[in-house]
């Protein structure tokens, strides 16, 4: 199933920002600094298990559930 990475990124951003666009941008920046650019992934992007594992670890650090 493709697009899982995009949905994981969206879930992290949505849960951390709680609708605040400034916080959403800050979370996007944190993801980029940790090596994952949200702009690189779309719903049609293939799922890479290594990236998904990294996102899961980041979600735990941010205190959100996926």
């Amino acid at each position: 199933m493709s697009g899982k990475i995009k949905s994981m990124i969206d879930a992290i951003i949505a849960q951390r920002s709680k609708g605040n666009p400034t916080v959403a941008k800050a979370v996007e920046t944190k993801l980029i600094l940790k090596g994952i650019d949200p702009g690189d992934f779309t719903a049609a992007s293939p799922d890479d298990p290594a990236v998904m594992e990294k996102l899961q670890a980041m979600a735990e650090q941010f205190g959100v559930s996926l």
Side-chain angles (χ1 to χ4, degrees):
M1 179 175 114
S2 60
K4 179 77 172 156
I5 293 175
K6 176 68 175 161
S7 65
M8 290 174 78
I9 291 170
D10 290 345
I12 291 171
I13 293 171
Q15 289 180 38
R16 284 292 290 172
S17 68
K18 295 182 176 121
N20 185 328
T22 304
V23 176
K25 275 295 187 192
V27 173
E28 286 180 28
T29 302
K30 285 181 184 181
L31 289 172
I32 291 169
L33 290 173
K34 291 182 179 267
I36 296 183
D37 186 353
D40 289 346
F41 299 97
T42 65
S45 297
D47 292 336
D48 180 358
V51 174
M52 292 172 68
E53 187 175 309
K54 196 170 186 179
L55 282 170
Q56 185 66 40
M58 285 185 213
E60 290 174 13
Q61 288 176 351
F62 291 150
V64 299
S65 61
L66 296 177

